[in-house]
């Protein structure tokens, strides 16, 4: 699993992903690092525009958990982030 600093991509175009889709993506990519029995595996997301592997950026929460913060394509200069903080959050 890769953890990168999204700050390095500050000048990249930002695209947003709906919160529900982001949650599904985080579950598929971040959580698959758990041992599956005979082998370990991690899903590696690809950029939908160019097909290169995306860098993953995680943020540490106050509870000590890591959450997916951004998906980064250096080749396309794109950053994907969640469009909202999710149900029950105060987003203007």
């Amino acid at each position: 699993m890769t953890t990168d600093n999204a700050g390095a991509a500050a000048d990249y175009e930002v695209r947003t992903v709906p919160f529900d889709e982001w949650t599904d993506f985080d579950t598929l990519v971040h959580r698959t690092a758990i041992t599956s029995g005979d082998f370990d595996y991690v899903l590696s997301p690809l950029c939908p525009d160019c097909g290169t592997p995306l860098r993953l950026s995680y943020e540490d929460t106050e509870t000590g958990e890591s959450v997916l913060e951004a998906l980064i394509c250096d080749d396309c200069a794109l950053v994907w982030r969640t469009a909202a903080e999710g149900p029950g959050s105060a987003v203007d």
Side-chain angles (χ1 to χ4, degrees):
M1 185 175 319
T2 304
T3 302
D4 289 304
N5 184 351
D11 295 331
Y12 287 8
E13 175 188 344
V14 176
R15 294 185 183 172
T16 57
V17 178
F19 179 78
D20 292 342
E21 291 180 30
W22 190 262
T23 301
D24 291 343
F25 190 83
D26 183 33
T27 299
L28 289 171
V29 174
H30 186 189
R31 312 290 184 245
T32 56
I34 299 171
T35 300
S36 63
D38 293 336
F39 58 92
D40 294 338
Y41 63 96
V42 175
L43 297 178
S44 179
L46 302 177
C47 176
D49 291 356
C50 69
T52 61
L54 295 170
R55 287 194 295 129
L56 308 176
S57 177
Y58 289 93
E59 179 180 14
D60 293 328
T61 65
E62 293 176 3
T63 61
E65 298 177 330
S66 289
V67 294
L68 186 61
E69 176 189 24
L71 304 170
I72 304 165
C73 179
D74 292 310
D75 290 349
C76 295
L78 294 172
V79 174
W80 282 266
R81 296 185 186 275
T82 183
E85 293 300 316
S89 65
V91 176
D92 295 331

